[in-house]
């Protein structure tokens, strides 16, 4: 099925945003954030469009838009370690946006961001300015014969600190994954319990309906039986009253004759 005009515009804007994200931008750059907001609106419109693409394609667009949005949010953080941690949880797209791409642009942007934040962390730990080029460090290492040894030692310590940060981030990610699995397990268990409770409740309601029907039937039978008993009792009382009345009349007629 041919892509709609809305989808073509979304792909063009998405490709433009990926290109801007891969470039070095000024801190005051605001266009990319506006473009990402426009991408979100276009993606929501595409989901309800009459000629929307397959769900896999829409999910791929959503991953890329969420990646760009998360990347912008990570750039607003103050600490480079927070930026690196936030960048680690971003999920780039798996499919190239255009046919000219061999590797998804979001994956390239993800790797560039990771390298940049690692460099910023290295600069912060060494106490140097992140804007200084690496050539200045290399020039300073060649000033005296004793400096390369100290620089190597500092680099080794820095690698150790970065490794600790990496291990800490991996441990945090594993803990979050474990919490997610535990939450999923608890949710499934609660769902199973709720399902059983619903089945028990449905069975109880069914039994209550059956008992109500039986009670209604027995009530009708009892009512009919009661009506029959009342009729027989009424006739019996009438017969007794008539018998007593006739007996009184006969008694009254017989008594004067005896006098």
């Amino acid at each position: 099925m041919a892509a709609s005009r809305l989808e073509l515009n979304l792909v063009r804007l998405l490709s433009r945003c990926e290109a801007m994200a891969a470039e070095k931008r000024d801190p005051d750059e605001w266009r990319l954030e506006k473009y990402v907001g426009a991408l979100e609106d276009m993606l929501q419109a595409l989901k309800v469009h009459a000629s929307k693409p397959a769900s896999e394609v829409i999910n791929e667009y959503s991953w890329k838009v969420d990646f760009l949005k998360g990347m912008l949010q990570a750039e607003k953080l103050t600490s480079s370690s927070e930026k690196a941690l936030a960048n680690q949880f971003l999920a780039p797209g798996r499919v190239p946006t255009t046919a000219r791409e061999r590797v998804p642009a979001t994956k390239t942007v993800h790797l560039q961001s990771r390298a940049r934040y690692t460099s910023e962390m290295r600069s912060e730990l060494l106490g140097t300015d992140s804007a200084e080029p690496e050539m200045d460090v290399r020039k300073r290492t060649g000033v005296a014969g004793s400096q390369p040894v100290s620089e190597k030692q500092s680099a080794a310590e820095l690698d150790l600190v970065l490794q600790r940060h990496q291990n800490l981030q991996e441990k945090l990610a594993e803990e979050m994954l474990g919490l997610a699995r535990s939450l999923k397990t608890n949710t499934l268990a609660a769902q199973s319990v709720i399902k059983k409770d619903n089945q028990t409740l449905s069975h109880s309601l069914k039994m209550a309906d059956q008992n109500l029907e039986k009670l209604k039937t027995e009530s009708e039978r009892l009512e009919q039986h009661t009506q029959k008993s009342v009729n027989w009792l009424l006739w019996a009382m009438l017969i007794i009253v008539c018998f007593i009345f006739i007996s009184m009349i006969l008694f009254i007629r017989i008594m004067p004759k005896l006098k």
Side-chain angles (χ1 to χ4, degrees), residues 238-254:
L238 287 175
I239 292 172
I240 293 173
V241 170
C242 292
F243 176 76
I244 294 173
F245 180 72
I246 295 172
S247 299
M248 289 298 295
I249 293 176
L250 292 175
F251 180 76
I252 293 171
R253 286 185 179 183
I254 292 173

Side-chain angles (χ1 to χ4, degrees), residues 153-222:
Q153 184 178 1
S154 300
E157 293 176 355
L158 177 60
D159 292 337
L160 181 60
V161 173
L162 290 177
Q163 185 64 31
R164 289 179 180 176
H165 277 279
Q166 185 70 21
N167 294 336
L168 182 61
Q169 292 175 3
E170 292 178 357
K171 183 178 179 181
L172 181 61
E174 291 178 357
E175 291 179 356
M176 293 181 66
L177 184 59
L179 290 175
R181 291 176 178 173
S182 177
L183 179 61
K184 182 179 180 181
T185 304
N186 294 334
T187 303
L188 292 176
Q191 185 179 1
S192 178
V193 172
I194 293 173
K195 186 177 180 180
K196 291 181 180 178
D197 292 341
N198 290 333
Q199 292 177 354
T200 304
L201 181 60
S202 300
H203 181 69
S204 301
L205 291 176
K206 185 177 180 180
M207 294 296 295
D209 293 337
Q210 292 178 358
N211 294 333
L212 182 61
E213 291 294 332
K214 291 181 180 179
L215 180 62
K216 186 177 180 181
T217 304
E218 295 297 330
S219 298
E220 292 177 354
R221 292 177 59 186
L222 180 61

Side-chain angles (χ1 to χ4, degrees), residues 15 18-19 22 64 67 92-93 95-97 101 103-110:
S15 178
E18 291 174 349
K64 292 180 179 180
F67 170 79
V95 180
T97 305
E101 299 177 0
V103 180
T106 51
K107 185 175 293 185
T108 304
V109 173
H110 191 217

Side-chain angles (χ1 to χ4, degrees), residues 16-248:
R16 174 59 179 163
C17 291
E18 291 174 349
M20 292 180 64
E23 298 173 354
K24 186 176 181 180
R25 304 185 309 278
D26 296 331
D28 298 333
E29 177 63 40
W30 54 270
R31 292 180 299 172
L32 181 57
E33 187 172 0
K34 296 295 182 181
Y35 290 167
V36 173
L39 277 176
E40 292 181 337
D41 297 337
M42 294 173 68
L43 182 60
Q44 294 298 326
L46 184 63
K47 290 180 179 179
V48 297
H49 197 267
S51 59
K52 63 179 180 180
S55 58
E56 293 81 4
V57 179
I58 293 181
N59 291 335
E60 184 68 23
Y61 292 154
S62 300
W63 287 334
K64 292 180 179 180
V65 174
D66 292 340
F67 170 79
L68 293 173
K69 185 178 179 181
M71 185 196 68
L72 292 175
Q73 293 176 353
E75 290 179 352
K76 295 179 181 180
L77 298 176
T78 56
S79 175
S80 58
S81 58
E82 294 178 353
K83 294 179 181 180
L85 181 61
N87 182 77
Q88 186 176 358
F89 291 104
L90 295 179
R94 298 177 297 179
V95 180
T97 305
T98 60
R100 295 176 298 178
E101 299 177 0
R102 294 185 177 179
V103 180
T106 51
K107 185 175 293 185
T108 304
V109 173
H110 191 217
L111 295 176
Q112 291 177 352
S113 301
R114 179 183 298 179
R116 183 170 66 253
Y117 296 147
T118 304
S119 178
E120 291 179 1
M121 291 176 60
R122 185 187 298 271
S123 299
E124 288 181 0
L125 293 174
L126 287 176
T128 58
D129 189 4
S130 59
E132 292 182 358
E134 296 181 357
M135 293 300 296
D136 294 340
V137 179
R138 294 179 179 177
K139 290 180 179 179
R140 287 197 298 268
T141 58
V143 174
S146 60
Q147 288 184 352
V149 179
S150 60
E151 288 294 334
K152 290 181 180 179
Q153 184 178 1
S154 300
E157 293 176 355
L158 177 60
D159 292 337
L160 181 60
V161 173
L162 290 177
Q163 185 64 31
R164 289 179 180 176
H165 277 279
Q166 185 70 21
N167 294 336
L168 182 61
Q169 292 175 3
E170 292 178 357
K171 183 178 179 181
L172 181 61
E174 291 178 357
E175 291 179 356
M176 293 181 66
L177 184 59
L179 290 175
R181 291 176 178 173
S182 177
L183 179 61
K184 182 179 180 181
T185 304
N186 294 334
T187 303
L188 292 176
Q191 185 179 1
S192 178
V193 172
I194 293 173
K195 186 177 180 180
K196 291 181 180 178
D197 292 341
N198 290 333
Q199 292 177 354
T200 304
L201 181 60
S202 300
H203 181 69
S204 301
L205 291 176
K206 185 177 180 180
M207 294 296 295
D209 293 337
Q210 292 178 358
N211 294 333
L212 182 61
E213 291 294 332
K214 291 181 180 179
L215 180 62
K216 186 177 180 181
T217 304
E218 295 297 330
S219 298
E220 292 177 354
R221 292 177 59 186
L222 180 61
E223 185 178 358
Q224 293 176 0
H225 182 70
T226 304
Q227 290 177 357
K228 291 180 180 180
S229 299
V230 171
N231 291 335
W232 282 106
L233 182 62
L234 181 61
W235 282 107
M237 291 180 65
L238 287 175
I239 292 172
I240 293 173
V241 170
C242 292
F243 176 76
I244 294 173
F245 180 72
I246 295 172
S247 299
M248 289 298 295

